[in-house]
Amino acid sequence: QRLKAAVHYTVGCLCQDVAEEQELQFSKQTIAAISEITFRQCENFAKDLEMFARHAKRSTVTLEDVKLLARRSRSLLKYITQRSEEIVSSNMEQKERKKKKSSTAKTAEQEAAVVESEDSNMA
């Protein structure tokens, strides 16, 4: 019920934005109808994604399942593909930074250990 209310609120905000841009108005009934259609479509998407994963003998929905769902809308599929590539490259960059930080930290620890052992040898 809260999810349905959130969808209704978001659809209302989007309709308001479009109304301002296009200089028109949406009736409350229209917003309610768009909200209901949107909610039902999301339910269908969720069921389809679950079935795609189950068909592949997985319990987790993957990006490939989402792409399969979006296959009929070329613009949506293109958008999802671009965003996923951006996320993958961003994750790779973060991993590289972590590797550099950890290798720098290890080098610093090793240098500190060498200095410590030299100090103890001199004493």
Tab-separated table of all heavy atoms in Angstrom, residues 67 85 97:
chain	number	residue	atom	x	y	z
A	67	LYS	N	17.792	-6.511	-19.283
A	67	LYS	CA	17.944	-6.208	-20.708
A	67	LYS	C	16.942	-7.001	-21.547
A	67	LYS	O	16.384	-6.484	-22.516
A	67	LYS	CB	19.366	-6.499	-21.169
A	67	LYS	CG	20.382	-5.498	-20.684
A	67	LYS	CD	21.759	-5.874	-21.204
A	67	LYS	CE	22.818	-4.921	-20.769
A	67	LYS	NZ	24.152	-5.306	-21.260
A	85	GLU	N	27.244	-0.008	-18.540
A	85	GLU	CA	28.654	0.128	-18.921
A	85	GLU	C	29.340	1.197	-18.077
A	85	GLU	O	30.485	1.026	-17.661
A	85	GLU	CB	28.774	0.444	-20.410
A	85	GLU	CG	28.434	-0.742	-21.297
A	85	GLU	CD	28.323	-0.389	-22.767
A	85	GLU	OE1	28.469	0.803	-23.129
A	85	GLU	OE2	28.091	-1.311	-23.564
A	97	ARG	N	41.740	1.978	-7.678
A	97	ARG	CA	42.146	2.906	-6.613
A	97	ARG	C	42.391	2.161	-5.313
A	97	ARG	O	43.351	2.444	-4.605
A	97	ARG	CB	41.071	3.980	-6.405
A	97	ARG	CG	41.079	5.044	-7.473
A	97	ARG	CD	40.167	6.201	-7.083
A	97	ARG	NE	39.592	6.741	-8.297
A	97	ARG	CZ	38.310	6.899	-8.534
A	97	ARG	NH1	37.416	6.580	-7.620
A	97	ARG	NH2	37.884	7.400	-9.662
